[in-house]
Amino acid sequence: MVSKKIVLHFPNKLVDQPIVYKLVKDYNLKFNILKASITPKEEGLLVLELNGEEKDYKQGVNYLKESGVKVQPLSRDVVRNEAKCTHCGVCVPICPTAALVVDPLTRKVNFYNDKCIACELCIKACPVRAMEVHF
Ligand code: SF4
Ligand code: SF4
């Protein structure tokens, strides 16, 4: 048995398709949805934990890729270097999962690691390189 966390990027033409359902039905995989969101470009993002037999897992991931879904392992962690962040807000509209949001009271940018899917979009966007990838 394997248990893996993966990030799926669905192009908008696939967002309404029962792709995850097929993983269960045709590949005997069990899944847990850890996070789900639709980005401003209407791409779907899903973070899943998949459980099943190794061979079913490999075939299931192949099926996803053949369907046009981008599959990325969730092996990295994005963290914020609090000493560097100036709370400029540049990263806020870029983050697809609202892991970076402006606190309405303090006007500071809060980082919610539990929402972050490690897409790394904020890394290049941050002018002071406060967002870092840890392997
Ligand atoms: S872009 Fe960088 S400095 Fe600006 S709020 Fe985001 S993490 Fe902080
Ligand atoms: S890596 Fe950055 S942009 Fe991507 S989800 Fe995490 S905080 Fe948001």
Side-chain angles (χ1 to χ4, degrees):
M1 292 288 277
V2 290
S3 169
K4 300 202 187 208
K5 288 182 188 162
I6 51 173
V7 185
L8 306 181
H9 297 250
F10 291 84
N12 60 2
K13 65 176 169 35
L14 293 179
V15 166
D16 297 332
Q17 304 282 319
I19 285 178
V20 173
Y21 168 70
K22 275 198 84 174
L23 286 178
V24 178
K25 198 169 130 293
D26 296 353
Y27 299 97
N28 300 315
L29 295 170
K30 289 200 186 114
F31 70 91
N32 237 331
I33 294 181
L34 303 175
K35 289 167 203 168
S37 71
I38 304 268
T39 69
K41 284 192 230 145
E42 303 212 332
E43 187 200 47
L45 280 169
L46 207 55
V47 182
L48 287 183
E49 185 175 348
L50 281 178
N51 296 293
E53 296 296 333
E54 178 97 43
K55 103 176 151 26
D56 291 331
Y57 173 79
K58 282 190 182 149
Q59 287 176 355
V61 167
N62 277 342
Y63 157 72
L64 289 171
K65 289 180 179 163
E66 280 162 15
S67 308
V69 179
K70 204 174 122 203
V71 182
Q72 182 196 323
L74 190 71
S75 54
R76 292 164 297 203
D77 199 20
V78 168
V79 295
R80 183 167 71 177
N81 184 328
E82 299 299 333
K84 280 191 183 172
C85 176
T86 60
H87 299 274
C88 69
V90 166
C91 56
V92 172
I94 287 162
C95 177
T97 62
L100 290 154
V101 287
V102 178
D103 185 310
L105 291 177
T106 63
R107 309 304 302 165
K108 294 209 160 174
V109 175
N110 291 338
F111 173 49
Y112 298 102
N113 183 270
D114 58 333
K115 286 190 169 179
C116 173
I117 56 158
C119 71
E120 301 181 24
L121 290 176
C122 57
I123 308 258
K124 288 179 217 116
C126 174
V128 295
R129 298 283 180 263
M131 301 303 292
E132 299 169 354
V133 187
H134 289 203
F135 292 91

